Amino acid sequence: MNGLANASSLFFLSAGLSLIFGVTRIVNMAHGSLYMLGAYIAYTCATSLGGVLGFWGGVLATAAALALLGALIEIALLRRIYHAAELFQLLATFALVLLLSDVVAALWGVEDLLGPRAPGLRGSVEILGRQFPEYDLFLLVVGPVVLVGLHLLLTRTRWGTLVRAATQDRDMVAALGVDQAKLFTAVFALGAALAGLGGALETPRQPANLGMDLSALGDAFVVVVVGGMGSIPGAYVAALLIAEIKAICIGLGTQTIAGIPFNFSKLTLVAEFIVMAVVLIARPYGLLGRAQGMPRHAAAIQDPIEPAGRRARLLALAVLAALLCVPLLAKASPYTLVLGIDVLIAVLFAASLHFIAGPGGMHSFGHAAYFGLGCYGAGLLLKLAGFPMAGAIAAAPLVAALGAAIFGWFAVRLSGVYLAMLTLAFAQIVWAIVFQWEALTGGSNGVLGIWPTAPFNSAWVYYLLVLALTLAGVLAMRRILFSPFGYAMRAGRDSPLRAEATGIAVLKVHWIAFIIAGTVCGLAGALFAFAKGGISPETIHVSRSIDGLVMVLLGGMHELAGPLVGAPVFTLLQDSVMRQTPYWRGVLGVVILALVLVFPMGIAGTIAGWAKRVAR
Amino acid sequence: MMLEADKLCAWYGAAQILFDVSFDVGRSEVVALMGRNGAGKSTTLKAIMGLVGRRAGGVRFDGTELLRLETFQIARLGLGWVPEDRRIFTDLSVRENLDVGRRPANGGPAWSEERVFELFPNLAEMRERPGGRMSGGEQQMLTVARTLMGNPRMVLFDEPSEGVAPLVVERMAEAIVEMKQLGLSVLLSEQNLHFAALVSDRVYILEKGHISWSGAMRELEASAQVQRQFLGV
């Protein structure tokens, strides 16, 4: 019963996400943020006005305010990126997540805020001998009501017919004289209003808090993917399924299976992602979803990558020489070495992500998972298995490789937004396991005391070790890209069917590439663990995956040198901004937006473009 | 003149497809664009509708310059487009497909659901059927009907005779003749000389994105040499 009440909010949230995706083909990463904003606005209405008007009026006002905000976002941002690559759309909306998160923190503060109970529904009724809150009963009913309302809107009105037609073929709808811009704005506003409604209705049950945006987004992703992208009834069925499974896990509590006590309530985080993985494998387009048509505007054709010329090689040697000189500065400012190590690890991390995202065309949104596996692999091997430092650093990438082999096997079977969501889900699983398996990983405290042993215990020696390993990793991946394997990888990206027809086992090639990237990423994680002396779940948070993507995009997705430029710029920028302002997330959000709107080719890409134009 | 293209150029990405294509279509005139595969016939129609990446030159429809307008604005001026791959909304029923195309009459003849069902009686029998469960010929008829629901003053018709049964081809020819009688202008992209000759007044022949011949339909029919040079395979 509790699950049924939870399902309603989840359904509003996911229905909005699904609707927006169906029509605009954009996965709105900021959807959880709109939900969070809804909760905060409803809280303010309910507490400042109070009474029936404050609560119920507030719920409606929240939905209206979110609709307005949604329309504004659509007009100001999304309209400019409908024809951009998928990855840019995901990043642009993720920038909104960062921005809105800081806006909420600035306006409402960081405290959790529990709203008052709903006027008129404060009591509870007895059902089957159990007390059941009236408000939950109300939620239980309101979900199906909205489902039916949405269904009627979409099937019985001309507006709904136009929305469904636009979901299928936007250009054709335009050629019949329909103003898509207005249609898209309306759909986005409706989706945002639904998210706001979901958030508003949750305030009496759960406190509004700053972590709501990403957790709601994760939940909504799972529901939408399980139900089928763009299917409203699918979203309802999936919301019910997920909410029930969670409720059952909590209801079971600690049970003893085969003599071992097992706490099911800790399984909730993992359970939903396991459901999602199972559904995606059995029905890749969700329970009630259908295969998406290929996008009509295919991505622009990319120039083939070229081996470095003489000038580029000289430049690389000069940079290397400069990097070798960094330890000389250490006396004057020891912080330089710390920052240098951070930058090098970021380069290795970003380069491994670029390896699969650029030439592989697999836009992983969960690369932090392999970083985390390397990190925790090294830490735990050192602490629990008693490995020496060298052994831990050598073995940790293998842990990451194993994880990449398992996750990658599923991931390479999907593409586009489904791949992005699945990789994100896998990263969340790793995060949840690390966070909840306190006995092994120390939970939120992490693992401490992972320091390098002699001779690496002085910072400059460790810096040189990191430099050597980063160089080795980057060069090895570069070498692979110019081998027949690398050609097969790119062929598989550009035209899977034609590549298959010429005898390339595309899935296998991409799977191996995924494992290679995971291994290198694991190495970066292991080096990170020893550089920081300790690790915490923070290390593998979603934001690290996104940071990686921003680094790659900042440098330029289509340039081999992209991550080598993007990672240092990003790390230095983050380092300097973080020390200036508590609102660095917001600043980062603005940087990403600027990047997407102004420099879609990235830094290295833009410079390469200029160089080509000059050469002509 | 209903439609005048003046040195129209069009690109897909970096590739230029049309080079200074100029032609015109008069009021209630049927003009055929002919030429081999890949000559740029479909692209010409899409360029008029604003559905290609980049355009240059000029296209005027009833005096209004189209190059600066968006696709939906072009359609609202009274230009209908029947795409060659039909692009039926497969999830929508026949009725709903027609509903998407519906627009108020704009100086042209007013079409209603009942009138398009008179023109294509087959469709009347499958009003509630989803577009995805129709044959190719039925879809072709639905596409034409959907375009007519917008009450266009001119129709751009892309390869109506391709890949459908002879009976459907006949229906298409009848539809074009009826449109002409109602005062509509038609620009037809066609490879089938027999079909084009049945309905068209004048012809332009496209070759690799350039107009290489133009004249009356009768002239083309009379000249075996022109046919061999520009249309033969």
Side-chain angles (χ1 to χ4, degrees):
Chain A
M1 287 292 273
N2 209 351
L4 287 175
N6 286 332
S8 288
S9 243
L10 199 52
F11 164 64
F12 294 157
L13 177 68
S14 327
L17 185 70
S18 194
L19 200 62
I20 290 171
F21 174 80
V23 176
T24 65
R25 295 286 139 169
I26 284 186
V27 175
N28 177 26
M29 301 284 273
H31 212 68
S33 309
L34 298 174
Y35 176 82
M36 173 172 78
L37 210 56
Y40 276 97
I41 294 176
Y43 169 84
T44 301
C45 288
T47 49
S48 61
L49 279 173
V52 175
L53 181 72
F55 184 86
W56 296 108
V59 167
L60 295 179
T62 303
L66 263 296
L68 211 63
L69 179 69
L72 203 71
I73 292 175
E74 200 276 340
I75 290 168
L77 174 65
L78 298 188
R79 219 169 253 194
R80 293 162 203 277
I81 55 170
Y82 284 131
H83 289 280
E86 218 157 50
L87 185 62
F88 278 91
Q89 302 173 338
L90 294 172
L91 268 170
T93 53
F94 193 83
L96 286 177
V97 174
L98 298 172
L99 253 175
L100 288 176
S101 154
D102 268 1
V103 166
V104 169
L107 290 179
W108 280 281
V110 295
E111 299 290 316
D112 287 8
L113 303 173
L114 183 62
R117 282 195 286 160
L121 296 173
R122 292 217 171 93
S124 59
V125 285
E126 200 180 282
I127 298 172
L128 301 172
R130 279 201 188 192
Q131 287 296 313
F132 197 72
E134 281 175 6
Y135 187 67
D136 283 12
L137 214 56
F138 161 74
L139 284 184
L140 195 152
V141 174
V142 86
V145 167
V146 171
L147 171 66
V148 170
L150 276 179
H151 184 74
L152 290 178
L153 178 69
L154 286 175
T155 54
R156 293 294 152 81
T157 65
R158 176 150 195 266
W159 186 82
T161 309
L162 293 184
V163 167
R164 284 184 295 136
T167 302
Q168 231 190 319
D169 190 340
R170 287 185 226 171
D171 282 350
M172 191 63 231
V173 170
L176 291 168
V178 176
D179 184 355
Q180 301 178 67
K182 272 192 205 146
L183 196 65
F184 282 22
T185 308
V187 166
F188 201 88
L190 177 62
L194 283 170
L197 189 65
L201 288 175
E202 275 298 286
T203 42
R205 306 175 77 225
Q206 283 175 29
N209 64 75
L210 283 176
M212 270 170 100
D213 50 356
L214 285 181
S215 66
L217 180 70
D219 287 348
F221 269 9
V222 174
V223 168
V224 168
V225 169
V226 168
M229 290 293 263
S231 163
I232 305 287
Y236 188 68
V237 172
L240 274 184
L241 183 71
I242 301 285
E244 279 305 321
I245 286 176
K246 281 185 152 188
I248 288 168
C249 276
I250 292 171
L252 283 175
T254 306
Q255 302 271 331
T256 308
I257 298 172
I260 304 161
F262 195 75
N263 191 344
F264 275 93
S265 60
K266 287 200 170 180
L267 250 175
T268 50
L269 264 177
V270 182
E272 61 181 15
F273 288 106
I274 290 175
V275 171
M276 168 161 152
V278 168
V279 168
L280 275 183
I281 291 153
R283 285 189 61 99
Y285 300 102
L287 292 175
L288 298 181
R290 247 172 288 180
Q292 310 165 25
M294 287 293 278
R296 286 209 177 256
H297 52 93
I301 301 155
Q302 293 174 24
D303 289 338
I305 51 175
E306 285 165 23
R310 232 170 70 90
R311 241 184 297 169
R313 276 166 200 262
L314 283 176
L315 184 68
L317 280 178
V319 171
L320 183 61
L323 287 173
L324 282 170
C325 293
V326 166
L328 300 177
L329 293 171
K331 278 269 162 26
S333 74
Y335 186 65
T336 317
L337 271 183
V338 177
L339 196 58
I341 290 172
D342 278 357
V343 166
L344 287 173
I345 291 174
V347 165
L348 194 57
F349 174 60
S352 73
L353 175 58
H354 176 263
F355 186 74
I356 47 171
M362 294 175 279
H363 301 151
S364 164
F365 266 67
H367 211 55
Y370 316 107
F371 193 80
L373 286 173
C375 218
Y376 272 88
L380 296 177
L381 287 173
L382 184 85
K383 284 280 160 189
L384 300 180
F387 272 48
M389 173 190 162
I393 289 185
L398 300 180
V399 177
L402 187 67
I406 297 169
F407 297 157
W409 192 86
F410 298 115
V412 295
R413 283 165 168 69
L414 301 171
S415 62
V417 291
Y418 282 95
L419 179 109
M421 288 185 171
L422 189 73
T423 47
L424 183 75
F426 281 136
Q428 283 300 99
I429 291 182
V430 173
W431 182 82
I433 291 175
V434 164
F435 196 76
Q436 295 184 343
W437 198 352
E438 274 178 42
L440 182 72
T441 63
S444 56
N445 296 325
V447 184
L448 294 173
I450 311 167
W451 293 109
T453 46
F456 298 108
N457 51 2
S458 70
W460 71 272
V461 187
Y462 191 66
Y463 170 84
L464 289 180
L465 174 73
V466 173
L467 179 60
L469 288 176
T470 300
L471 196 66
V474 169
L475 287 180
M477 286 192 295
R478 206 183 154 82
R479 181 70 198 84
I480 292 171
L481 285 179
F482 286 107
S483 72
F485 179 84
Y487 301 150
M489 218 171 123
R490 279 182 282 147
R493 169 197 69 188
D494 291 340
S495 178
L497 281 183
R498 251 174 282 169
E500 289 272 359
T502 51
I504 297 169
V506 174
L507 286 184
K508 196 170 148 202
V509 167
H510 280 177
W511 184 45
I512 293 171
F514 204 95
I515 298 173
I516 293 171
T519 313
V520 175
C521 186
L523 177 63
L527 292 173
F528 182 84
F530 281 99
K532 298 292 163 195
I535 40 186
S536 70
E538 191 75 345
T539 321
I540 44 176
H541 195 249
V542 187
S543 56
R544 181 170 299 275
S545 301
I546 304 297
D547 286 353
L549 283 172
V550 175
M551 290 176 201
V552 170
L553 283 178
L554 193 62
M557 179 64 85
H558 304 325
E559 294 294 325
L560 277 185
L564 311 186
V565 178
V569 171
F570 179 85
T571 313
L572 297 176
L573 202 69
Q574 198 185 30
D575 182 70
S576 51
V577 172
M578 261 173 96
R579 279 187 291 174
Q580 302 292 330
T581 163
Y583 298 120
W584 63 273
R585 283 168 175 274
V587 174
L588 180 61
V590 173
V591 169
I592 299 177
L593 282 181
L595 188 68
V596 168
L597 294 176
V598 187
F599 290 112
M601 307 294 292
I603 298 173
T606 307
I607 294 173
W610 287 339
K612 256 184 210 163
R613 237 170 292 155
V614 170
R616 257 175 227 161
Chain B
M1 275 303 137
M2 204 65 192
L3 188 87
E4 266 177 293
D6 181 26
K7 295 191 172 169
L8 179 65
C9 301
W11 288 261
Y12 283 126
Q16 188 170 0
I17 311 293
L18 298 184
F19 302 84
D20 296 334
V21 172
S22 301
F23 60 89
D24 53 65
V25 182
R27 239 168 254 277
S28 60
E29 190 183 24
V30 180
V31 170
L33 271 179
M34 301 196 66
R36 300 188 178 95
N37 267 337
K41 304 185 295 293
S42 294
T43 306
T44 306
L45 302 194
K46 284 184 186 169
I48 296 169
M49 290 307 291
L51 289 166
V52 293
R54 187 154 76 87
R55 308 181 282 175
V59 193
R60 277 210 305 281
F61 175 65
D62 204 13
T64 311
E65 177 56 56
L66 301 183
L67 241 54
R68 280 182 299 277
L69 297 183
E70 285 188 58
T71 300
F72 79 93
Q73 294 168 319
I74 294 170
R76 284 183 185 185
L77 289 175
L79 260 172
W81 173 56
V82 179
E84 123 194 74
D85 47 357
R86 302 181 197 115
R87 294 169 80 159
I88 285 298
F89 304 113
T90 47
D91 293 349
L92 273 54
S93 69
V94 167
R95 256 221 170 96
E96 288 172 330
N97 265 285
L98 294 177
D99 200 26
V100 175
R102 186 164 52 102
R103 297 223 67 82
N106 186 7
W111 289 86
S112 64
E113 223 172 74
E114 291 320 309
R115 269 196 70 198
V116 297
F117 285 149
E118 268 171 43
L119 186 61
F120 301 113
N122 305 35
L123 295 182
E125 293 157 22
M126 46 179 85
R127 287 168 206 231
E128 302 306 328
R129 185 177 298 182
R133 288 205 282 115
M134 297 168 81
S135 72
E138 288 160 354
Q139 287 193 354
Q140 179 72 52
M141 289 188 263
L142 179 56
T143 314
V144 178
R146 184 179 65 180
T147 304
L148 290 177
M149 286 298 286
N151 293 307
R153 289 182 290 157
M154 173 164 185
V155 175
L156 311 177
F157 226 132
D158 203 351
E159 306 252 4
S161 75
E162 196 191 72
V164 288
L167 212 64
V168 180
V169 175
E170 223 167 273
R171 304 290 310 148
M172 290 299 126
E174 282 171 26
I176 292 172
V177 170
E178 169 136 12
M179 287 180 213
K180 183 177 161 65
Q181 279 169 359
L182 288 166
L184 270 67
S185 309
V186 176
L187 179 61
L188 176 72
S189 137
E190 192 51 73
Q191 287 204 56
N192 179 341
L193 179 62
H194 179 69
F195 183 86
L198 212 56
V199 294
S200 326
D201 305 312
R202 283 191 296 127
V203 188
Y204 291 87
I205 295 181
L206 269 171
E207 214 181 18
K208 292 178 184 161
H210 301 267
I211 299 273
S212 54
W213 188 88
S214 67
M217 192 70 225
R218 268 171 284 118
E219 274 178 71
L220 177 62
E221 279 186 290
S223 168
Q225 190 257 328
V226 174
Q227 289 178 23
R228 208 171 33 248
Q229 186 179 348
F230 297 115
L231 304 176
V233 273

